[in-house]
Amino acid sequence: MKYFLISAILCAVSCTGLAQTAADSPATREDVEKYFEAVHSHEMTMKILEAMSKPIHQMAHDQCAKDKEKLPADCEARINKSMDDTFKALPIDEMMQAMVPAYQKHFTKGDMDALITFYSAPTGQKVLQEMPAIMGEAMESMMPIMQRSVEKMNARAQQEVAQMRKGSSTKAPDTPAPQN
């Protein structure tokens, strides 16, 4: 009986160690693909792109309105169509497959199993359901900030270029040294 108890304890310890080792092993392609299924990655990406299109359309509207005297009347429609066509043409499945190695590098099998468990549960499903709207609202809030930052970067770059031009016009041209 004593030996049986010791054997049972040793087996429990070693079996736990094996389970930990399996959980700590790198995620496989199949683990990542199961995760992508659990989070409805293709559908989620499409919803996020759709949500992102609203602030992008607003940015096109603002830009076309700002420069309306310099742009054609159909400026906004053309930009919107171009952006929408670009989003529709994205190879989502190919992009998802390209991401698999990054997930494998950063997550273990245990991590992937835990993520799949979470996203399969009601709270995880709610996160997935609400994420596109959250991203859309976040993008809408961030867009004016990003526009201001881009405008400042452009102004700074133009200033730098102007200073470089000014500096190069006052600088004497390089003349080759006389050869004897």
Side-chain angles (χ1 to χ4, degrees):
M1 179 72 167
K2 187 168 141 182
Y3 292 110
F4 175 74
L5 187 57
I6 292 172
S7 295
I9 292 171
L10 289 174
C11 179
V13 169
S14 66
C15 290
T16 303
L18 289 176
Q20 245 180 349
T21 304
D24 291 340
S25 65
T28 65
R29 176 170 288 282
E30 292 76 29
D31 295 329
V32 177
E33 288 173 352
K34 281 182 195 174
Y35 166 75
F36 286 166
E37 276 181 46
V39 299
H40 315 289
S41 63
H42 189 275
E43 297 86 14
M44 179 64 76
T45 302
M46 296 304 292
K47 286 179 182 178
I48 289 171
L49 290 174
E50 185 179 317
M52 286 172 54
S53 73
K54 183 180 177 187
I56 289 172
H57 285 196
Q58 183 62 48
M59 190 170 73
H61 170 79
D62 294 346
Q63 187 63 45
C64 291
K66 179 180 168 187
D67 295 328
K68 66 182 172 187
E69 61 280 343
K70 299 176 193 172
L71 298 169
D74 66 344
C75 167
E76 187 175 343
R78 288 167 58 181
I79 291 174
N80 287 341
K81 182 180 180 339
S82 176
M83 291 297 113
D84 292 344
D85 289 348
T86 299
F87 282 157
K88 287 177 188 168
L90 287 173
I92 304 300
D93 292 329
E94 185 179 344
M95 291 165 44
M96 298 307 295
Q97 288 303 309
M99 292 177 10
V100 168
Y103 277 81
Q104 288 178 287
K105 177 180 176 185
H106 293 277
F107 293 108
T108 65
K109 179 171 182 43
D111 294 333
M112 296 311 299
D113 290 344
L115 287 167
I116 291 166
T117 299
F118 172 75
Y119 283 112
S120 297
T123 302
Q125 289 297 301
K126 182 173 182 176
V127 168
L128 295 173
Q129 181 181 0
E130 298 298 328
M131 192 55 66
I134 292 168
M135 293 299 294
E137 291 169 27
M139 285 296 294
E140 199 170 332
S141 298
M142 292 185 320
M143 199 58 73
I145 297 166
M146 291 168 56
Q147 278 183 299
R148 285 192 308 265
S149 295
V150 167
E151 288 169 6
K152 286 178 185 177
M153 285 190 310
N154 285 339
R156 190 175 305 141
Q158 289 174 357
Q159 207 172 28
E160 286 290 324
V161 169
Q163 286 178 350
M164 285 186 237
R165 285 183 181 145
K166 184 178 175 183
S168 68
S169 65
T170 59
K171 183 178 168 185
D174 291 339
T175 54
Q179 295 180 350
N180 292 331

